[in-house]
Amino acid sequence: MSKSASLAYKQEPLLSRAAAMLIMGVFTLYFLVPIWWLFVASTKDKGDILTTAPLWFADFNFFENLGALTEYRGGVYFQWLLNSALYAGLGALVATVFAGMAGYALSKYQFRGRDTVFNVILGGVLVPSTALALPLFLMFSQVELTNTFWAVFLPSIASPFGVYLSRIFAAQAVPDEVLEASRLDGSGELRTFFTIGWRLMLPGLVTVFLFQFVTIWNNFFLPLIMLRSEELFPVTFGLYAWNTQLNQIPELRSYVLIGALISIIPLIVMFLSLQRFWRNGVGAGAIK
Amino acid sequence: MTRTAVATTARRGRKNQHTGAIIALLTPFGIAFALFYIAPIIIAVWQSMLVVEREGTFGKATQVFGGFAQYALVFQNAEFLAAIGRVLLFGVVQVPVMLGLALLFALLLDSPLVRGRRFFRLAFFVPYAVPGVIAAIMWGFMFSPNLSPFSAITKNVDFLGADLILWSIANVVTWVFVGYNMLIIYSSLLSIPTEIYEAARIDGASQFRIAWSIKIPLVRPAITMTAVFSIIGTLQLLAEPQVMKSFSSAVTSTFTPNMTVFATAAVPNTSLAAAQSVVLALATFVLSFFFLRFANKRSI
């Protein structure tokens, strides 16, 4: 914190400062205790989890639990984790490229019907993706693609919100003068985009990627409707499936707990390392 | 004069040359959007207009055009209407609570009252990294009497019973999304030039007064955006209640509209499910649209 900020802090009444810090402290507990509990629970064996203090460690069995998870049903859990990485990673990558191109075109060129095209896409942002899941199932069953990788992957490559963000980023980050200059140099429009345009938009495109990645990673209705075979499940859906069987197979509980913990680690790491893109991105989305 | 005319013609000429590039840049997204947004909407609307007709009780079933017959059934379906009522009640309570908290945290982070804002920003945002399914599983365990770290409370208060389950789900949704909404509002606060506050400080306005009279009106667009996304999310509730179903018998398979759609489709009655989807999508669209209109009008 800078010196002036520190001075400003001291100028405020002590009571206000204490009240503010109390609120922040209480809610820090609210937000972090469940995650702490999950971590502690995943280090315990089946007995300790019921008998020892829930918020503190007993015997440290984390690696034993992890080993058991790795072996359970031929390591299907790690297949799920890989599936999620493919659905969300590849899906978000393709969606970002498509959205970046479309947003750039909508921002940098004047053409007839541009506003209509943009408004239709913007309408797409308001269409709930769960409303699309059922008709998508009907479409995919026509071409016999239900219960395949493609049934979950393909619908995620269209991101209207990504186009909306990309258009804002293209308007902010790509000056018209740069385009004029490259035209004078004789560069074609597409070449200009693929050599210069997307580089200038890159910080924004990372944000689009993040948003789409999280959307796909969290998608529930599509796997619920499309997938039957366990080996195609994304990790969240696989854990959901295990969780529904807890009454019949109680030993699944420790797999659900440690599986849940491991599944959120990649996202937390990604969030922490790409924080600044989140900040810029959500800001850009909110400014009208 | 002539030079301008020449320049204009040249520019117009170039603009026409760009048509190819525009089409090339828009096509990949356009195809994906047409296939996975426009086509499903058309199919859903078409499907919702069909009814099954049988020749006699055990005769061959054929689908024929039935107009709005399915929509009449949608509005006679007590379970679907109850589900809509339930999420509306949920939204009326949960959305204001969540956005109120998000606004409070954003204002505190932006005020000189709080130290360690980087830490708090992160701590509050971390739950957003937890998918709804996982968050619901975690809280499901936290609410159950045996495993909960707060078993003194959960043994006496039945968070998973019929009375409280809706609010337990509301807690899960709030826990996940407060930090995300906080970040949107906070980013918007950061973009306000600080000079705006200086006059108010010199006049002796308190932080509370500055927040109420200056900051909140200026971040209205951000609050509107978070509200629209929250409204959409509320009507679409699926993963959290679906997970809670395995912790609580109070969650039926028609607890939320989306769960009803899934249950109806599984019967299978795809036409009725399609009609329910269309009604739900329209309701979402109309609610978001009018909220945007209303919020924009108020800010002028």
Side-chain angles (χ1 to χ4, degrees), chain A residues 30 130 139 218 240 243 285, chain B residues 43 131 171 225 236 242 246 258:
Chain A
Y30 171 68
T130 52
M139 275 173 68
N218 290 348
Y240 160 76
N243 194 60
Chain B
I43 289 175
N171 170 65
M225 191 181 102
Q236 303 310 312
Q242 187 75 33
S246 49
N258 260 330

Side-chain angles (χ1 to χ4, degrees), chain B residues 29 43 77 79 85 87 92 145 158 178 204 206 208 227 254:
Chain B
F29 174 79
I43 289 175
N77 186 330
E79 286 180 325
V87 289
V92 167
D158 187 7
V178 162
S206 66
F208 179 79
T254 57

Side-chain angles (χ1 to χ4, degrees), chain A residues 38-110:
Chain A
L38 184 67
F39 174 56
V40 171
S42 65
T43 65
K44 292 181 180 176
D45 65 20
K46 291 183 190 75
D48 285 349
I49 203 169
L50 289 169
T51 52
T52 58
L55 290 178
W56 199 249
F57 300 100
D59 291 338
F60 197 80
N61 283 310
F62 182 80
F63 294 103
E64 286 83 345
N65 291 342
L66 190 62
L69 179 71
T70 315
E71 278 160 32
Y72 186 72
R73 304 197 61 165
V76 71
Y77 174 82
F78 291 92
Q79 176 73 48
W80 295 342
L81 216 50
L82 180 71
N83 291 344
S84 276
L86 285 178
Y87 289 130
L90 280 183
L93 190 68
V94 176
T96 304
V97 173
F98 287 6
M101 288 163 69
Y104 176 89
L106 289 169
S107 160
K108 290 294 145 195
Y109 299 109
Q110 303 279 345

Side-chain angles (χ1 to χ4, degrees), chain A residues 111-142:
Chain A
F111 55 92
R112 267 183 54 193
R114 181 177 77 157
D115 290 340
T116 313
V117 169
F118 184 66
N119 285 331
V120 170
I121 295 172
L122 208 55
V125 175
L126 294 184
V127 175
S129 58
T130 52
L132 302 171
L134 189 63
L136 280 171
F137 174 79
L138 298 172
M139 275 173 68
F140 277 89
S141 44
Q142 286 293 314

Side-chain angles (χ1 to χ4, degrees), chain B residues 127-168:
Chain B
Y128 184 65
V130 182
V133 171
I134 309 291
I137 290 176
M138 277 167 64
W139 279 98
F141 282 119
M142 306 260 301
F143 284 138
S144 36
N146 299 329
L147 281 168
S148 174
F150 311 104
S151 50
I153 302 172
T154 53
K155 277 186 175 138
N156 295 309
V157 184
D158 187 7
F159 287 104
L160 299 171
D163 292 339
L164 285 180
I165 186 69
L166 190 65
W167 309 116
S168 300

Side-chain angles (χ1 to χ4, degrees), chain A residues 6 9 12 27-28 30-31 37 101 128 130 134-135 139 160 189 211 218 239-240 243 272 275 279 285 288, chain B residues 18 35 40 43 112-113 115 120-122 131 134 141 171 175 180 187 201 207 225 236 242 246 258 296:
Chain A
S6 160
Y9 176 79
E12 297 301 326
F27 278 96
T28 301
Y30 171 68
F31 289 118
W37 170 81
M101 288 163 69
T130 52
L134 189 63
M139 275 173 68
E189 295 300 314
F211 272 110
N218 290 348
L239 289 170
Y240 160 76
N243 194 60
L272 296 186
Q275 257 196 83
R279 282 257 307 284
K288 288 206 279 192
Chain B
H18 295 167
L35 277 178
I43 289 175
L113 296 173
R115 303 202 109 166
F120 289 122
R121 207 177 62 210
L122 267 181
I134 309 291
F141 282 119
N171 170 65
W175 183 79
Y180 171 73
S187 305
R201 288 300 292 160
Q207 286 302 326
M225 191 181 102
Q236 303 310 312
Q242 187 75 33
S246 49
N258 260 330
N296 283 341

